[in-house]
Amino acid sequence: MARVGVLTSGGDAPGMNAAIRGVVRCVSAAGSEVIGIRRGFCGLIDCIMNPLGPRDVANILQRGGSILDTSREPRFLDPALRRQAIRTLERERFDALVAIGGNGTQQGARLLQSEWSGSVIGVASTIDNDLGGTDTSIGFDTACNTALEAIDRIRDTANSLDRLFFIEVMGRKAGFIALEVAVGGGAEAVLLPEVELDTDWLVEVIRSNHERGKISCIVVVAEGAHPGGARGLLLEIDESLQAHGLLGSADARVTILGHIQRGGNPTVRDRVLASRLSTAAARAALSNERGLLFGVRGNKAHATPFDEALAEKKEIDHTLLELVNELAG
Ligand code: F6P
């Protein structure tokens, strides 16, 4: 009988609970034991954990957040505290650990794997979708749908009042959410951290929309596309908008969607993805495989060594970017 730990770490993502459930049910069905580690790597350092059986994960599949809580734990970068975490794993007789989370989590998991003899397996989960080794990550679809619903609502009021809206979505370093919802929400323009900002181009897009008689104009701005976010960007182009005879920041509106995108019930896609990846990860942990991140490739669970997954720079799809401009017509 094996002892498998499970933790969620970093920014929570809708579908993490479905993934915890997948690990617990799969490991329990194999006659082994699961221990839930609280608050990510903190729980390993400070030994905060409790056993999880199949009934403990009842009724969590549909819930956002993480029943195990999560944390961004910079202390895990300290080798002395990692040794403390490893002492916990050894004292509590763990055979394997499943770490559910994004880039920071998987970097922590890789470090742990290089220093501990047990099996460390990752599950790709971040709303940002910026993790290598996977086409998409748990939570991304839900975050996009939440943002999209908000954009649709904003379009109603923007149309009624003939207004320019800047809508800021999450993504400090990655524009995947912004790009997806810009296409899905019919945005007039989208700004991403991955693409150099050209404010003259943006003003021209807004001007030409106005000239073509478009009633509303929605610009989707990823959090990291401008140092001051959507608000800073609008202030920067205010003068230029007015110089083109357009109403500037006095009449334009900024909506920052913020953490609303991280919560809520996971979509069916995220529940299925979480179930698929977590069970594949649990099976790998039970087989004592080492240092693998489970993601999805072509609708199938796919394992990539941590080093390879973390070295992969996930690129935005430039054809989608072109679509936004083309369809703004
Ligand atoms: O989890 C990813 C993310 O939501 C990013 O999109 C965002 O930039 C960041 O986390 C916000 O982090 P925090 O909740 O710590 O402010």
Side-chain angles (χ1 to χ4, degrees):
M1 179 171 129
R3 246 188 155 204
V4 179
V6 60
L7 61 79
T8 52
S9 159
D12 54 296
M16 276 184 162
N17 281 326
I20 296 168
R21 171 180 177 268
V23 172
V24 172
R25 294 261 164 101
C26 180
V27 171
S28 305
S32 284
E33 191 187 3
V34 180
I35 308 293
I37 293 151
R38 319 287 309 192
R39 301 193 53 227
F41 293 109
C42 270
L44 274 188
I45 295 171
D46 302 328
C47 195
I48 315 166
M49 53 188 67
N50 53 278
L52 287 177
R55 296 283 68 75
D56 297 319
V57 292
N59 207 17
I60 66 165
L61 172 72
Q62 73 279 25
R63 282 170 48 197
S66 165
I67 60 157
L68 291 174
D69 301 332
T70 174
S71 65
R72 301 193 192 278
E73 181 46 286
R75 289 189 303 159
F76 207 65
L77 294 174
D78 178 343
L81 289 169
R82 277 206 306 283
R83 278 197 295 280
Q84 190 170 317
I86 290 169
R87 278 198 295 277
T88 305
L89 287 163
E90 284 168 356
R91 193 181 52 246
E92 302 295 323
R93 301 185 330 281
F94 279 93
D95 300 290
L97 177 75
V98 177
I100 304 166
N103 270 301
T105 305
Q106 305 311 335
Q107 276 161 22
R110 172 174 61 174
L111 277 174
L112 187 62
Q113 185 65 98
S114 66
E115 295 166 1
W116 180 50
S117 57
S119 147
V120 183
I121 304 291
V123 174
S125 176
T126 162
I127 65 160
D128 286 348
N129 197 27
D130 58 347
L131 189 55
T134 189
D135 297 340
T136 187
S137 53
I138 299 166
F140 175 62
D141 186 62
T142 308
C144 286
N145 279 294
T146 304
L148 192 61
E149 190 191 333
I151 291 172
D152 289 347
R153 287 167 189 257
I154 290 169
R155 179 70 81 180
D156 291 343
T157 173
N159 261 343
S160 304
L161 281 161
D162 189 359
R163 256 182 184 154
L164 165 63
F165 265 87
F166 277 34
I167 304 177
E168 183 183 302
V169 298
M170 271 190 162
R172 258 196 299 255
K173 297 187 191 139
F176 293 99
I177 296 179
L179 187 54
E180 200 84 356
V181 300
V183 177
E188 275 63 35
V190 60
L191 301 166
L192 313 173
E194 294 90 340
V195 178
E196 201 182 333
L197 180 61
D198 180 347
T199 50
D200 292 340
W201 168 83
L202 178 60
V203 172
E204 177 49 26
V205 168
I206 297 169
R207 190 204 61 75
S208 112
N209 266 290
H210 189 73
E211 195 178 85
R212 295 199 312 282
K214 290 195 81 169
I215 301 172
S216 58
C217 180
I218 287 185
V219 178
V220 173
V221 184
E223 224 182 332
H226 186 278
R231 221 182 282 286
L233 175 60
L234 180 57
L235 283 178
E236 189 181 325
I237 64 167
D238 187 33
E239 229 174 79
S240 183
L241 285 175
Q242 294 191 39
H244 282 86
L246 299 161
L247 286 171
S249 59
D251 199 53
R253 294 289 183 268
V254 175
T255 303
I256 298 172
L257 298 183
H259 289 79
I260 192 172
Q261 294 157 97
R262 279 238 297 265
N265 301 349
T267 57
V268 66
R269 268 173 181 264
D270 274 330
R271 296 182 201 193
V272 172
L273 181 63
S275 303
R276 207 196 280 283
L277 300 193
S278 58
T279 47
R283 281 192 279 271
L286 288 171
S287 310
N288 200 26
E289 291 184 52
R290 290 171 54 81
L292 297 175
L293 171 70
F294 275 84
V296 65
R297 292 283 195 219
N299 229 16
K300 288 206 163 45
H302 179 86
T304 310
F306 284 138
D307 283 344
E308 213 179 291
L310 290 167
E312 183 185 324
K313 168 94 186 79
K314 203 155 172 187
E315 302 290 342
I316 57 149
D317 181 347
H318 283 268
T319 61
L320 281 186
L321 198 54
E322 283 156 23
L323 266 190
V324 174
N325 302 330
E326 199 180 327
L327 296 177

